[in-house]
Amino acid sequence: MRTGEPYGSGGSLLISRRELATRIDELAADISSRYASQERPLVCISVLKGATFFLADLIRALSIDVAVDFMSISSYAASGPDSGVVRIIKDVDEDIAGRDVLLVENIVDTGLTLTYLRRTLLARQPRSVATVTLLDKSARRIVPVPIEYAGFEIPDVFVIGYGLDHQALYRNVPDIFEVPDIAALRKDPALLVTSLFGSQRD
Ligand code: PRP
């Protein structure tokens, strides 16, 4: 299947698993070479849940040893979705003072989450903090935020698959699909399940 080709009813392929694998190898090579000479292993920190798919593939493509840790955060509902006000539900286990940290995100949209994470981690005196994101939806940015490594720049479209969900569905679709009719998906969250899981993809 070629990128952009309509798939089933209502989803079109945006980035295939082959394109993902190729780009992840390229990112991994850049990251490996940047951190190859460090004394202590790089700490890769991912935010639950969607970014864990990218994290798992990225770190297995690295040629350096790394530590892996996770955070879970939640927006304060009362502050509104675009407030950038979040609370930590699960913090990292590693002491990152003096360490090189790589934040591993699957998508940067408004930039509010990444801004919060960077501020929180930088306050702990790491040696450095850099970010790799698989997808960069820069058209939606509210706050500018540094991104050292970005896999794909994508337009302002709703995407599912490879960790990206809609109401907890579609995370384990191996490719990334664009949803042109988000209103239909909101009405019926399981609308694309049969088409995305029911057929053979290459
Ligand atoms: C995604 C992504 C980032 C955040 C980016 O997580 O992993 O953490 O959105 O959005 P922002 O730039 O607008 O702040 P999401 O909220 O979808 O949580 P999930 O991974 O658990 O589905």
Side-chain angles (χ1 to χ4, degrees), residues 48-51 105-113 165 171:
L48 300 172
K49 300 173 181 169
E105 268 289 18
N106 57 345
I107 185 165
V108 179
D109 191 332
T110 64
L112 291 167
T113 305
D165 75 315
R171 279 200 207 277

Side-chain angles (χ1 to χ4, degrees), residues 158-161 163-171 179 181-193:
F158 190 82
V159 282
I160 53 174
L164 297 150
D165 75 315
H166 175 67
Q167 298 201 10
L169 298 169
Y170 309 110
R171 279 200 207 277
V179 180
D181 191 352
I182 184 63
L185 195 62
R186 287 205 178 102
K187 212 167 149 190
D188 175 10
L191 183 69
L192 303 175
V193 167

